[in-house]
Amino acid sequence: MRLILLGPPGAGKGTQAQRIVERNGVPQLSTGDMLRAAVKNGTEVGKRAKAVMDAGELVSDAIVNAIVAERIDQPDCAGGFILDGYPRTLPQADAVEAMLAERGLKLDAVVELVVDDKALVGRIVKRAKEAEAAGQPVRKDDNPEVFEERLREYYKKTAPLIGYYYAKGSLKSVDGMADIDAVTRQIEGVLAGA
């Protein structure tokens, strides 16, 4: 199973990815985690990424794409993987298609979690209040202003992927506003049909 989860921040992609990992035994590939691992392990791509990060710059698509390609060649990805936080842009989506084609692979599904933005902001505020009430630190991303900026960034750069994958016939949409278990069931239904 090779899967991409799409949706704005706070839509529940991480929660659902973790459930898919537990049920299907495929790894969840986070670009942030992959980048840190490549740097730590001193791979060729990791060295290039470290130099860029040490200079205080953003890691280029070419480096991120190379790190993803390196990671999907690892033995634990032989049975599939879930891409988390990648692709974020149309050029990255093209890169995913190319790297999979080079390996004779394809995506099984791209699942979009359809959510209501206003309700997402409410979720974030509620999560922050619950963390405060429990005496836990409030995540920086749980600030409504920070969250709304992340939403704008999502719609500017990542939302075009919805049309991209729809045109390819691989996009499946689920109701991300349903309760967590219902969303999981919807995703399992998509995967069963893939």
Side-chain angles (χ1 to χ4, degrees), residues 41-188:
N41 296 331
T43 68
E44 276 309 307
V45 179
K47 289 174 188 172
R48 288 177 24 218
K50 184 177 184 332
V52 171
M53 293 182 330
D54 287 349
E57 298 172 13
L58 291 175
V59 178
S60 69
D61 275 359
I63 292 174
V64 173
N65 295 341
I67 285 174
V68 172
E70 193 175 78
R71 179 65 180 92
I72 66 173
D73 286 336
Q74 299 301 310
D76 66 331
C77 290
F81 48 83
I82 303 164
L83 289 173
D84 174 14
Y86 178 89
R88 288 184 191 260
T89 64
L90 291 171
Q92 287 179 352
D94 286 336
V96 169
E97 295 287 319
M99 72 179 71
L100 291 176
E102 286 170 11
R103 292 158 177 80
L105 304 172
K106 66 178 186 58
L107 288 171
D108 293 305
V110 177
V111 177
E112 175 197 13
L113 280 73
V114 179
V115 293
D116 175 86
D117 294 343
K118 286 185 177 34
L120 282 184
V121 174
R123 275 186 189 175
I124 295 304
V125 169
K126 180 181 176 196
R127 187 164 66 189
K129 286 180 181 174
E130 287 172 351
E132 281 179 343
Q136 299 170 338
V138 176
R139 292 176 11 182
K140 179 182 159 204
D141 291 350
D142 286 350
N143 171 304
E145 292 78 30
V146 171
F147 180 75
E148 286 175 1
E149 178 55 35
R150 288 182 64 216
L151 266 181
R152 283 190 289 278
E153 196 68 12
Y154 168 79
Y155 283 111
K156 186 170 26 171
K157 294 182 178 173
T158 307
L161 295 178
I162 295 166
Y164 176 92
Y165 287 115
Y166 178 81
K168 291 183 172 294
S170 51
L171 183 75
K172 304 295 181 203
S173 298
V174 299
D175 177 8
M177 297 308 297
D179 70 63
I180 292 170
D181 291 336
V183 175
T184 301
R185 285 191 297 276
Q186 290 177 70
I187 294 172
E188 286 174 348

